[in-house]
Amino acid sequence: MKPTLMLARFKTAAYLRSHRIVQPFVGLLAILIILYSTRVLAGHELSSYGDSAALLVPVFAWAARGLLDTEPDVQRLLSVTASGRPGREVTAGLLASAAVNAVLACLAVLAPLGIGFAVTPGGAVVAGGLALHVLSLLTGTALGALSSRPILRDQATSTLVMLGAYVAMLLISLAPVTWLTVPLISWMRDAGRPAFLTSALPGLAAITLAWCTLAFLTYTYLRRTRP
């Protein structure tokens, strides 16, 4: 486990030094400005968190793809050799991507407490918002990994696939059958309803985690045949 964590730290440091983090950070700021340009009224905080989580999926995907694209192909091969097993390099990249997105998600949850809400919500609302953003960062990390250079070599194709997949998730999640894809629309629609935390959230989380697990397994499988 130690080589994997050290490699994840190396990938994160390389990503931060490349200044590619600025791009998704600007995207995060833009969404926060749009959502909280006027203060959210009391009682609607969790609904705004649902909107934020759904809209931030492409930002998280952008950050994950940028991190996985930062390392040159030759350096990636060296990382595989140094870590001892290809699986460690793949895991390290996913861990580093998730760690960067976790920081962005924390900003998205904490910033409205100071500038976005008319009143400070209770702990249950903040916990619900945090849970939604965890689901969002996992979805974005999976989407970014599947559209990264080790999977899709062409940058233009990668961008189109990433954005197209996000739009497809939005459109498919409009269907009444929520398990067809990651239920982004349900995050936004159900977050404002009573008893969301105890009734709707567990089911939505289960569906999201199932799709994310499938995406991460697909990424791991594809990396077996791609250096």
Side-chain angles (χ1 to χ4, degrees):
M1 190 62 180
K2 186 176 180 180
T4 302
L5 294 177
M6 292 179 64
L7 187 55
R9 180 180 178 183
F10 169 77
K11 290 176 178 288
T12 304
Y15 177 60
L16 295 178
R17 286 198 299 268
S18 72
H19 302 297
R20 290 190 177 190
I21 186 62
V22 173
Q23 298 168 343
F25 182 71
V26 170
L28 171 66
L29 288 180
I31 290 176
L32 291 180
I33 290 172
I34 292 172
L35 289 176
Y36 303 111
S37 56
T38 58
R39 289 188 177 269
V40 177
L41 299 178
H44 296 275
E45 296 89 358
L46 193 52
S47 179
S48 69
Y49 273 143
D51 295 342
S52 172
L55 293 175
L56 284 175
V57 168
V59 173
F60 294 140
W62 193 357
R65 189 188 69 161
L67 186 145
L68 295 172
D69 286 356
T70 298
E71 196 172 33
D73 294 335
V74 175
Q75 178 60 52
R76 187 178 299 110
L77 293 175
L78 292 175
S79 296
V80 172
T81 303
S83 62
R85 291 200 299 266
R88 287 176 176 172
E89 190 276 329
V90 174
T91 302
L94 293 177
L95 287 176
S97 301
V100 170
N101 280 333
V103 175
L104 297 177
C106 287
L107 291 175
V109 173
L110 296 177
L113 298 178
I115 62 173
F117 298 149
V119 298
T120 302
V125 172
V126 176
L130 183 61
L132 286 167
H133 283 81
V134 168
L135 297 178
S136 178
L137 78 86
L138 289 174
T139 304
T141 301
L143 181 57
L146 287 173
S147 59
S148 62
R149 192 173 69 245
I151 306 300
L152 298 174
R153 296 293 184 182
D154 184 72
Q155 187 75 10
T157 301
S158 170
T159 302
L160 289 175
V161 168
M162 184 179 70
L163 296 178
Y166 173 67
V167 172
M169 279 191 287
L170 285 174
L171 294 177
I172 295 174
S173 61
L174 287 170
V177 185
T178 56
W179 52 264
L180 288 174
T181 186
V182 177
L184 301 180
I185 297 299
S186 295
W187 296 356
M188 296 188 285
R189 182 174 53 210
D190 295 345
R193 295 179 179 177
F196 168 74
L197 296 176
T198 56
S199 60
L201 182 58
L204 296 177
I207 296 170
T208 303
L209 292 176
W211 277 106
C212 289
T213 300
L214 178 62
F216 287 130
L217 289 175
T218 302
Y219 173 73
T220 302
Y221 174 78
L222 292 175
R223 283 296 308 274
R224 291 181 179 179
T225 58
R226 292 168 170 80

